[in-house]
Amino acid sequence: TGIAADDALVLCNTFDVSEAVDDEKVSGSPERRMLWAWRNSAAAMLVTTVTTCGSFFCLTVSTLEVVRSFGVFMGLSVLFTYTGVITFLASLLLLKAQLAETFTGCR
């Protein structure tokens, strides 16, 4: 969904920006950078996810079965997408950074 693309973009950009942050807690290892990026982006993504899930779950009060089913399906889809982005995509970004550091000797 477009929501997943937005969340992925926020996480990827925040992780990229973490290289330029001049802070001892952030600089250094890819793990520290990911932790910083995750803390700074997860809350913003959560807010948009909760509001979008809420709007889809509001469809469950409809009298039409197909609209109720659509609301439940989309609400759960948005929730699972957020979970996937903050876990699976974050893991892939961290793995990529670790491999790049290992094989090229740079960050």
Side-chain angles (χ1 to χ4, degrees), residues 66-82:
V66 69
V67 174
R68 283 196 308 262
S69 297
F70 176 74
V72 170
F73 173 75
M74 287 304 298
L76 290 175
S77 295
V78 170
L79 186 62
F80 289 136
T81 299
Y82 170 75

Side-chain angles (χ1 to χ4, degrees), residues 7-17 37 41 89 93:
D7 288 349
L9 184 67
V10 168
L11 183 61
C12 289
N13 284 343
T14 307
F15 185 66
D16 288 343
V17 166
S41 62
L89 181 63
L93 285 172

